[in-house]
mmCIF file of all heavy atoms in Angstrom:
data_model
loop_
_atom_site.group_PDB
_atom_site.id
_atom_site.type_symbol
_atom_site.label_atom_id
_atom_site.label_comp_id
_atom_site.label_asym_id
_atom_site.label_seq_id
_atom_site.Cartn_x
_atom_site.Cartn_y
_atom_site.Cartn_z
ATOM 1 N N ARG A 51 176.708 -34.069 59.802
ATOM 2 C CA ARG A 51 176.686 -34.399 58.372
ATOM 3 C C ARG A 51 178.112 -34.989 57.860
ATOM 4 O O ARG A 51 178.187 -35.835 57.135
ATOM 5 C CB ARG A 51 176.299 -33.176 57.581
ATOM 6 C CG ARG A 51 174.840 -32.817 57.673
ATOM 7 C CD ARG A 51 174.362 -31.729 56.704
ATOM 8 N NE ARG A 51 174.918 -30.454 57.160
ATOM 9 C CZ ARG A 51 174.247 -29.617 57.993
ATOM 10 N NH1 ARG A 51 173.066 -29.996 58.440
ATOM 11 N NH2 ARG A 51 174.812 -28.485 58.287
ATOM 12 N N ARG A 52 179.164 -34.351 58.472
ATOM 13 C CA ARG A 52 180.507 -34.788 58.080
ATOM 14 C C ARG A 52 180.739 -36.246 58.537
ATOM 15 O O ARG A 52 181.317 -37.054 57.840
ATOM 16 C CB ARG A 52 181.591 -33.893 58.728
ATOM 17 C CG ARG A 52 181.564 -32.541 58.092
ATOM 18 C CD ARG A 52 182.654 -31.647 58.700
ATOM 19 N NE ARG A 52 182.437 -30.195 58.286
ATOM 20 C CZ ARG A 52 183.275 -29.278 58.752
ATOM 21 N NH1 ARG A 52 184.264 -29.480 59.535
ATOM 22 N NH2 ARG A 52 183.091 -28.052 58.278
ATOM 23 N N MET A 53 180.262 -36.536 59.720
ATOM 24 C CA MET A 53 180.543 -37.871 60.319
ATOM 25 C C MET A 53 179.713 -38.915 59.471
ATOM 26 O O MET A 53 180.150 -39.982 59.250
ATOM 27 C CB MET A 53 180.182 -37.865 61.755
ATOM 28 C CG MET A 53 180.801 -38.879 62.647
ATOM 29 S SD MET A 53 182.525 -38.635 62.916
ATOM 30 C CE MET A 53 182.853 -39.883 64.164
ATOM 31 N N LEU A 54 178.500 -38.502 59.109
ATOM 32 C CA LEU A 54 177.640 -39.396 58.294
ATOM 33 C C LEU A 54 178.251 -39.650 56.927
ATOM 34 O O LEU A 54 178.251 -40.724 56.412
ATOM 35 C CB LEU A 54 176.242 -38.842 58.205
ATOM 36 C CG LEU A 54 175.451 -38.853 59.448
ATOM 37 C CD1 LEU A 54 174.021 -38.129 59.195
ATOM 38 C CD2 LEU A 54 175.158 -40.307 59.933
ATOM 39 N N HIS A 55 178.832 -38.569 56.444
ATOM 40 C CA HIS A 55 179.494 -38.686 55.098
ATOM 41 C C HIS A 55 180.616 -39.731 55.194
ATOM 42 O O HIS A 55 180.817 -40.557 54.258
ATOM 43 C CB HIS A 55 180.072 -37.277 54.813
ATOM 44 C CG HIS A 55 180.391 -37.189 53.278
ATOM 45 N ND1 HIS A 55 180.923 -36.061 52.786
ATOM 46 C CD2 HIS A 55 180.336 -38.044 52.285
ATOM 47 C CE1 HIS A 55 181.153 -36.248 51.508
ATOM 48 N NE2 HIS A 55 180.793 -37.441 51.216
ATOM 49 N N LEU A 56 181.350 -39.687 56.267
ATOM 50 C CA LEU A 56 182.476 -40.625 56.497
ATOM 51 C C LEU A 56 181.967 -42.060 56.563
ATOM 52 O O LEU A 56 182.542 -42.938 55.961
ATOM 53 C CB LEU A 56 183.213 -40.308 57.801
ATOM 54 C CG LEU A 56 184.245 -39.244 57.697
ATOM 55 C CD1 LEU A 56 184.721 -38.821 59.060
ATOM 56 C CD2 LEU A 56 185.422 -39.831 56.934
ATOM 57 N N VAL A 57 180.927 -42.282 57.336
ATOM 58 C CA VAL A 57 180.438 -43.707 57.554
ATOM 59 C C VAL A 57 179.860 -44.207 56.218
ATOM 60 O O VAL A 57 180.024 -45.402 55.919
ATOM 61 C CB VAL A 57 179.468 -43.805 58.734
ATOM 62 C CG1 VAL A 57 178.082 -43.319 58.467
ATOM 63 C CG2 VAL A 57 179.391 -45.144 59.310
ATOM 64 N N GLN A 58 179.288 -43.196 55.479
ATOM 65 C CA GLN A 58 178.781 -43.725 54.166
ATOM 66 C C GLN A 58 179.933 -43.987 53.174
ATOM 67 O O GLN A 58 179.764 -44.942 52.396
ATOM 68 C CB GLN A 58 178.079 -42.427 53.599
ATOM 69 C CG GLN A 58 176.833 -42.738 52.756
ATOM 70 C CD GLN A 58 175.939 -41.549 52.581
ATOM 71 O OE1 GLN A 58 176.339 -40.363 52.872
ATOM 72 N NE2 GLN A 58 174.734 -41.784 52.193
ATOM 73 N N SER A 59 181.034 -43.296 53.331
ATOM 74 C CA SER A 59 182.191 -43.585 52.459
ATOM 75 C C SER A 59 182.723 -44.940 52.700
ATOM 76 O O SER A 59 183.397 -45.527 51.876
ATOM 77 C CB SER A 59 183.242 -42.505 52.599
ATOM 78 O OG SER A 59 183.991 -42.739 53.790
ATOM 79 N N LEU A 60 182.447 -45.540 53.867
ATOM 80 C CA LEU A 60 182.906 -46.922 54.190
ATOM 81 C C LEU A 60 181.961 -47.909 53.647
ATOM 82 O O LEU A 60 182.186 -49.110 53.718
ATOM 83 C CB LEU A 60 183.060 -47.062 55.710
ATOM 84 C CG LEU A 60 184.162 -46.251 56.362
ATOM 85 C CD1 LEU A 60 183.985 -46.298 57.921
ATOM 86 C CD2 LEU A 60 185.495 -46.640 55.910
ATOM 87 N N GLY A 61 180.828 -47.477 53.098
ATOM 88 C CA GLY A 61 179.866 -48.416 52.490
ATOM 89 C C GLY A 61 178.589 -48.606 53.346
ATOM 90 O O GLY A 61 177.636 -49.256 52.923
ATOM 91 N N ALA A 62 178.539 -48.018 54.568
ATOM 92 C CA ALA A 62 177.349 -48.178 55.373
ATOM 93 C C ALA A 62 176.210 -47.398 54.761
ATOM 94 O O ALA A 62 176.395 -46.357 54.084
ATOM 95 C CB ALA A 62 177.587 -47.617 56.766
ATOM 96 N N GLY A 63 174.966 -47.968 54.889
ATOM 97 C CA GLY A 63 173.775 -47.292 54.463
ATOM 98 C C GLY A 63 173.397 -46.176 55.495
ATOM 99 O O GLY A 63 173.465 -46.349 56.664
ATOM 100 N N VAL A 64 173.052 -44.981 54.889
ATOM 101 C CA VAL A 64 172.653 -43.931 55.813
ATOM 102 C C VAL A 64 171.366 -43.254 55.344
ATOM 103 O O VAL A 64 171.239 -42.890 54.131
ATOM 104 C CB VAL A 64 173.759 -42.788 55.828
ATOM 105 C CG1 VAL A 64 173.269 -41.620 56.637
ATOM 106 C CG2 VAL A 64 175.090 -43.358 56.486
ATOM 107 N N GLN A 65 170.366 -43.261 56.135
ATOM 108 C CA GLN A 65 169.171 -42.466 55.869
ATOM 109 C C GLN A 65 169.045 -41.372 56.906
ATOM 110 O O GLN A 65 168.837 -41.662 58.088
ATOM 111 C CB GLN A 65 167.942 -43.364 56.028
ATOM 112 C CG GLN A 65 167.742 -44.434 54.932
ATOM 113 C CD GLN A 65 166.641 -45.417 55.352
ATOM 114 O OE1 GLN A 65 165.686 -45.076 55.890
ATOM 115 N NE2 GLN A 65 166.990 -46.671 55.068
ATOM 116 N N HIS A 66 169.140 -40.159 56.420
ATOM 117 C CA HIS A 66 169.148 -39.074 57.392
ATOM 118 C C HIS A 66 167.801 -38.261 57.101
ATOM 119 O O HIS A 66 167.619 -37.695 56.044
ATOM 120 C CB HIS A 66 170.317 -38.133 57.082
ATOM 121 C CG HIS A 66 170.564 -37.042 58.089
ATOM 122 N ND1 HIS A 66 171.480 -36.082 57.994
ATOM 123 C CD2 HIS A 66 169.915 -36.798 59.252
ATOM 124 C CE1 HIS A 66 171.477 -35.270 59.037
ATOM 125 N NE2 HIS A 66 170.486 -35.673 59.814
ATOM 126 N N ASN A 67 166.957 -38.322 58.133
ATOM 127 C CA ASN A 67 165.727 -37.555 58.055
ATOM 128 C C ASN A 67 165.916 -36.268 58.903
ATOM 129 O O ASN A 67 165.735 -36.307 60.079
ATOM 130 C CB ASN A 67 164.511 -38.336 58.588
ATOM 131 C CG ASN A 67 163.218 -37.664 58.340
ATOM 132 O OD1 ASN A 67 163.158 -36.420 58.295
ATOM 133 N ND2 ASN A 67 162.120 -38.411 58.266
ATOM 134 N N VAL A 68 166.248 -35.182 58.212
ATOM 135 C CA VAL A 68 166.663 -33.954 58.870
ATOM 136 C C VAL A 68 165.504 -33.356 59.667
ATOM 137 O O VAL A 68 165.711 -32.987 60.851
ATOM 138 C CB VAL A 68 167.144 -32.947 57.739
ATOM 139 C CG1 VAL A 68 167.317 -31.605 58.344
ATOM 140 C CG2 VAL A 68 168.409 -33.494 57.052
ATOM 141 N N GLU A 69 164.307 -33.390 59.024
ATOM 142 C CA GLU A 69 163.107 -32.834 59.739
ATOM 143 C C GLU A 69 162.840 -33.591 61.068
ATOM 144 O O GLU A 69 162.560 -32.985 62.109
ATOM 145 C CB GLU A 69 161.900 -32.982 58.897
ATOM 146 C CG GLU A 69 161.930 -32.098 57.571
ATOM 147 C CD GLU A 69 161.776 -30.637 57.897
ATOM 148 O OE1 GLU A 69 160.780 -30.349 58.529
ATOM 149 O OE2 GLU A 69 162.724 -29.865 57.551
ATOM 150 N N ALA A 70 162.917 -34.944 60.956
ATOM 151 C CA ALA A 70 162.560 -35.784 62.147
ATOM 152 C C ALA A 70 163.757 -35.948 63.100
ATOM 153 O O ALA A 70 163.575 -36.473 64.148
ATOM 154 C CB ALA A 70 162.145 -37.150 61.638
ATOM 155 N N HIS A 71 164.944 -35.406 62.703
ATOM 156 C CA HIS A 71 166.131 -35.502 63.547
ATOM 157 C C HIS A 71 166.459 -37.025 63.790
ATOM 158 O O HIS A 71 166.910 -37.325 64.897
ATOM 159 C CB HIS A 71 165.992 -34.772 64.816
ATOM 160 C CG HIS A 71 165.947 -33.266 64.698
ATOM 161 N ND1 HIS A 71 164.817 -32.530 64.505
ATOM 162 C CD2 HIS A 71 166.957 -32.378 64.597
ATOM 163 C CE1 HIS A 71 165.150 -31.251 64.361
ATOM 164 N NE2 HIS A 71 166.413 -31.123 64.370
ATOM 165 N N THR A 72 166.225 -37.843 62.752
ATOM 166 C CA THR A 72 166.619 -39.237 62.979
ATOM 167 C C THR A 72 167.685 -39.637 61.873
ATOM 168 O O THR A 72 167.653 -39.046 60.781
ATOM 169 C CB THR A 72 165.441 -40.161 62.859
ATOM 170 O OG1 THR A 72 164.820 -40.027 61.591
ATOM 171 C CG2 THR A 72 164.424 -39.914 63.896
ATOM 172 N N VAL A 73 168.398 -40.602 62.197
ATOM 173 C CA VAL A 73 169.348 -41.195 61.263
ATOM 174 C C VAL A 73 169.326 -42.707 61.415
ATOM 175 O O VAL A 73 169.322 -43.251 62.560
ATOM 176 C CB VAL A 73 170.782 -40.738 61.609
ATOM 177 C CG1 VAL A 73 171.817 -41.467 60.725
ATOM 178 C CG2 VAL A 73 170.994 -39.221 61.444
ATOM 179 N N VAL A 74 169.217 -43.450 60.341
ATOM 180 C CA VAL A 74 169.308 -44.855 60.369
ATOM 181 C C VAL A 74 170.672 -45.262 59.685
ATOM 182 O O VAL A 74 170.893 -44.849 58.519
ATOM 183 C CB VAL A 74 168.144 -45.582 59.649
ATOM 184 C CG1 VAL A 74 168.245 -47.064 59.837
ATOM 185 C CG2 VAL A 74 166.814 -45.118 60.288
ATOM 186 N N ILE A 75 171.497 -46.016 60.393
ATOM 187 C CA ILE A 75 172.765 -46.440 59.816
ATOM 188 C C ILE A 75 172.709 -47.900 59.702
ATOM 189 O O ILE A 75 172.465 -48.646 60.656
ATOM 190 C CB ILE A 75 173.931 -46.032 60.708
ATOM 191 C CG1 ILE A 75 173.926 -44.445 60.768
ATOM 192 C CG2 ILE A 75 175.273 -46.489 60.144
ATOM 193 C CD1 ILE A 75 174.866 -43.905 61.852
ATOM 194 N N ASP A 76 173.017 -48.414 58.470
ATOM 195 C CA ASP A 76 173.037 -49.900 58.205
ATOM 196 C C ASP A 76 174.531 -50.257 58.027
ATOM 197 O O ASP A 76 175.132 -49.976 57.024
ATOM 198 C CB ASP A 76 172.279 -50.250 56.922
ATOM 199 C CG ASP A 76 172.222 -51.704 56.656
ATOM 200 O OD1 ASP A 76 172.906 -52.522 57.508
ATOM 201 O OD2 ASP A 76 171.577 -52.218 55.755
ATOM 202 N N PRO A 77 175.167 -50.845 59.100
ATOM 203 C CA PRO A 77 176.547 -51.208 58.968
ATOM 204 C C PRO A 77 176.851 -52.440 58.207
ATOM 205 O O PRO A 77 177.994 -52.757 57.989
ATOM 206 C CB PRO A 77 176.920 -51.357 60.492
ATOM 207 C CG PRO A 77 175.692 -51.896 61.105
ATOM 208 C CD PRO A 77 174.534 -51.304 60.294
ATOM 209 N N THR A 78 175.777 -53.116 57.848
ATOM 210 C CA THR A 78 176.038 -54.539 57.192
ATOM 211 C C THR A 78 176.592 -54.391 55.761
ATOM 212 O O THR A 78 177.050 -55.344 55.227
ATOM 213 C CB THR A 78 174.697 -55.329 57.130
ATOM 214 O OG1 THR A 78 173.755 -54.600 56.343
ATOM 215 C CG2 THR A 78 174.151 -55.606 58.536
ATOM 216 N N THR A 79 176.560 -53.166 55.211
ATOM 217 C CA THR A 79 177.066 -53.024 53.848
ATOM 218 C C THR A 79 178.391 -52.373 53.738
ATOM 219 O O THR A 79 178.905 -52.026 52.639
ATOM 220 C CB THR A 79 176.038 -52.190 53.031
ATOM 221 O OG1 THR A 79 175.774 -51.003 53.707
ATOM 222 C CG2 THR A 79 174.737 -52.922 52.834
ATOM 223 N N VAL A 80 179.119 -52.341 54.889
ATOM 224 C CA VAL A 80 180.449 -51.743 54.889
ATOM 225 C C VAL A 80 181.330 -52.561 53.909
ATOM 226 O O VAL A 80 181.387 -53.809 54.024
ATOM 227 C CB VAL A 80 181.066 -51.711 56.300
ATOM 228 C CG1 VAL A 80 182.538 -51.420 56.280
ATOM 229 C CG2 VAL A 80 180.363 -50.663 57.161
ATOM 230 N N ASN A 81 182.055 -51.902 53.014
ATOM 231 C CA ASN A 81 182.819 -52.593 52.055
ATOM 232 C C ASN A 81 184.259 -52.084 51.845
ATOM 233 O O ASN A 81 184.976 -52.545 50.954
ATOM 234 C CB ASN A 81 182.103 -52.669 50.692
ATOM 235 C CG ASN A 81 181.739 -51.255 50.236
ATOM 236 O OD1 ASN A 81 182.381 -50.258 50.681
ATOM 237 N ND2 ASN A 81 180.773 -51.115 49.402
#
Side-chain angles (χ1 to χ4, degrees):
R51 287 188 287 272
R52 290 181 190 180
M53 204 70 171
L54 288 175
H55 196 182
L56 274 171
V57 78
Q58 213 162 16
S59 79
L60 294 170
V64 172
Q65 288 168 41
H66 189 185
N67 187 333
V68 171
E69 294 289 302
H71 290 92
T72 59
V73 175
V74 182
I75 299 168
D76 182 357
T78 61
T79 51
V80 168
N81 53 22

